[in-house]
């Protein structure tokens, strides 16, 4: 399933600290659902997804004078959401928190346990590896899109994804 495209996807965006309220509002209106859905699929928790949404757009606002053109705005926001969600999962694990403690009834179900186990395994990966895996297998980007986004050859992306899957499998079997 191809992610929905909008007017901002086809043009480069420039994010600066001088971004006006109307420009920021336009970006938020176009991408808040994309960021929220990506974060929700990764974290599995609506409150965490809202935290990620807030984090991503605060980062856009706090560019503090740096100008960063993104090749495609949609790709930028999807990757930012994945990175922020992985950061949140890492913080949760490093502080000994567990999504299982928050919802004991749901934790009894096997699919929920597997998702939590995958989230914990993802948190052990290098940030770029976790982002690449999630963008491919959760967000549905193609290897070609990932190659462009990460500045690698398409074949290298396929090999890297294979190695990432092997690392995740090893971590989940522990």
């Amino acid at each position: 399933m191809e992610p929905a495209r909008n007017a901002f996807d086809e043009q480069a965006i420039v994010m600066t600290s001088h971004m006006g309220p109307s420009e920021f509002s336009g970006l938020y209106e176009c991408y808040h659902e994309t960021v929220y859905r990506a974060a929700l699929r990764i974290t599995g928790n609506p409150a965490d997804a809202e935290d990620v949404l807030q984090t991503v757009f605060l980062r856009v606002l706090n560019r503090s004078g740096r100008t960063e053109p993104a090749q495609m705005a949609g790709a930028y926001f999807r990757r930012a959401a994945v990175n922020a969600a992985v950061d949140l999962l890492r913080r949760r694990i490093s502080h000994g928190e567990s999504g299982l403690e928050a919802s004991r009834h749901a934790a009894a179900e096997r699919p929920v346990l597997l998702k939590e186990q995958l989230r914990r395994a993802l948190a052990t990966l290098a940030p770029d590896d976790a982002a690449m895996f999630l963008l491919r297998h959760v967000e549905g980007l193609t290897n070609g899109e990932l190659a462009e986004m990460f500045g690698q050859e398409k074949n290298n992306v396929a090999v890297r994804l294979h190695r990432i899957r092997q690392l995740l499998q090893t971590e989940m079997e522990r």
Side-chain angles (χ1 to χ4, degrees), residues 49-153:
E50 289 173 8
D51 287 346
V52 168
L53 176 68
Q54 181 178 350
T55 299
V56 168
F57 282 97
L58 282 174
R59 287 178 183 168
V60 169
L61 276 176
N62 292 327
R63 285 314 216 192
S64 65
R66 292 187 321 190
T67 302
E68 180 180 301
Q71 289 179 349
M72 294 178 73
Y76 171 84
F77 282 102
R78 280 191 296 278
R79 184 164 183 185
V82 167
N83 289 340
V86 169
D87 288 346
L88 185 134
L89 291 175
R90 280 202 174 97
R91 279 192 312 275
R92 181 188 296 162
I93 288 172
S94 72
H95 289 88
E97 299 172 21
S98 171
L100 294 175
E101 294 169 1
S103 62
R104 294 174 193 225
H105 292 51
E109 299 175 22
R110 180 103 175 114
V112 174
L113 292 173
L114 286 174
K115 286 181 183 179
E116 185 63 27
Q117 190 178 15
L118 177 60
R119 287 183 185 106
R120 288 178 180 274
L122 282 167
T124 65
L125 294 177
D128 277 352
D129 288 348
M132 183 178 282
F133 177 85
L134 291 167
L135 287 167
R136 175 67 179 106
H137 296 288
V138 175
E139 291 299 308
L141 272 65
T142 65
N143 286 0
E145 291 170 320
L146 290 172
E148 187 177 318
M149 187 181 286
F150 284 87
Q152 297 181 354
E153 295 293 322

Side-chain angles (χ1 to χ4, degrees), residues 1-72:
M1 175 191 240
E2 176 89 13
R5 302 270 186 211
N6 59 46
F8 281 107
D9 279 338
E10 303 305 324
Q11 54 186 280
I13 59 171
V14 178
M15 295 177 289
T16 68
S17 63
H18 308 304
M19 181 184 297
S22 62
E23 290 94 355
F24 180 79
S25 178
L27 284 175
Y28 182 82
E29 285 301 315
C30 287
Y31 296 109
H32 77 278
E33 288 181 31
T34 300
V35 171
Y36 179 82
R37 282 193 310 265
L40 183 60
R41 283 191 295 268
I42 294 164
T43 65
N45 181 325
D48 287 343
E50 289 173 8
D51 287 346
V52 168
L53 176 68
Q54 181 178 350
T55 299
V56 168
F57 282 97
L58 282 174
R59 287 178 183 168
V60 169
L61 276 176
N62 292 327
R63 285 314 216 192
S64 65
R66 292 187 321 190
T67 302
E68 180 180 301
Q71 289 179 349
M72 294 178 73

